[in-house]
Amino acid sequence: MLFKFKSAAASDLIMLEADARKLLKIMLGDDPVQGIMLANSLAVRIQSLETAVQQDEGLRKRLAEQAASGARDADEEEVALDAVRLSQRAAPMLKLLQRSEAESADVVWGV
């Protein structure tokens, strides 16, 4: 299934279901199949997504440093990271949200 995000401020953004649901969960706390983000709430959504991207990059950096040094705690669980970074998945959404915020346009989506 594909998710289609629309805004009067930008071109449509089409994402695979798993990626769209992940981003919606980060931004909204849930992942409704259809919905709307009002223009006045986009700043909060952008901040949520940027924070999640920074946390993902920090985790990747920390794991890379541990792997390079060979230091690993015995109690530490193995963390499975996606091959594609969250920053790569989120970049088109961030652009859509930023343009929409600049033009005070709502963002709607559906399947």
Side-chain angles (χ1 to χ4, degrees), residues 6-59:
K6 296 180 173 225
S7 173
S11 301
D12 293 352
L13 172 61
I14 299 172
M15 298 184 89
L16 294 173
E17 178 183 11
D19 300 327
R21 286 187 183 278
K22 183 175 185 173
L23 295 181
L24 286 171
K25 188 167 179 93
I26 290 169
M27 292 184 296
L28 302 172
D30 58 2
D31 59 349
V33 173
Q34 296 180 343
I36 184 169
M37 285 185 273
L38 299 175
N40 61 4
S41 72
L42 292 179
V44 174
R45 308 302 177 213
I46 291 168
Q47 184 60 41
S48 298
L49 200 48
E50 288 175 340
T51 300
V53 167
Q54 290 172 351
Q55 290 172 346
D56 181 67
E57 290 299 318
L59 176 61

Side-chain angles (χ1 to χ4, degrees), residues 62-84:
R62 193 169 59 250
L63 291 175
E65 289 170 353
Q66 287 176 354
S69 68
R72 190 162 182 266
D73 295 335
D75 297 337
E76 190 175 298
E77 284 185 31
E78 183 68 30
V79 179
L81 296 174
D82 290 337
V84 178

